[in-house]
Amino acid sequence: WLCWQMAATAKIGTDLGGFGYCWYHHERLGDDADPLALHMMHHATIEIKRQLHILNQLLEENAYVAGKDYSIADIALFPWYGQLVLGHLYGSACNDFLNVDAE
């Protein structure tokens, strides 16, 4: 998992950053937001939900990302996904939109 996270860092950062940028403008401008920004947000949302689904499936079977023991993989993924799920990146309204729960 750590290799997956490190190999995908550019993609994860791009998806979360792109989503956040578009989310911010959508929240500020509503229906007047740039259609391209809305399209980018939709694309990033699909990818983020896919990644969260993979992690959710894994964590349903294991206590931690890499298995039964807490590891560097959990530490490395937390700044990306943990902060998102806890609502610290874009707020709780974003979590409702992404349909994620911190439980």
Side-chain angles (χ1 to χ4, degrees), residues 6-7 14 26 29 35 47 51 54 57 62-63 74 84 88 97:
M6 296 312 294
T14 301
H26 174 67
L29 301 174
E47 182 59 20
Q51 294 168 11
I54 292 168
Q57 284 183 318
N62 299 301
D74 300 286
L84 175 70
H88 297 169
F97 177 76

Side-chain angles (χ1 to χ4, degrees), residues 15-69:
D15 289 335
L16 287 174
F19 174 82
Y21 173 81
C22 297
W23 177 259
Y24 173 77
H25 286 287
H26 174 67
E27 286 294 293
R28 288 187 57 215
L29 301 174
D31 292 335
D32 294 331
D34 179 11
L36 180 59
L38 294 176
H39 174 74
M40 289 170 48
M41 185 174 79
H42 176 70
H43 175 75
T45 299
I46 291 170
E47 182 59 20
I48 292 167
K49 284 185 172 188
R50 185 189 71 79
Q51 294 168 11
L52 290 171
H53 178 73
I54 292 168
L55 287 172
N56 189 55
Q57 284 183 318
L58 181 72
L59 292 171
E60 284 178 353
E61 299 171 7
N62 299 301
Y64 299 100
V65 174
K68 63 181 177 116
D69 298 319

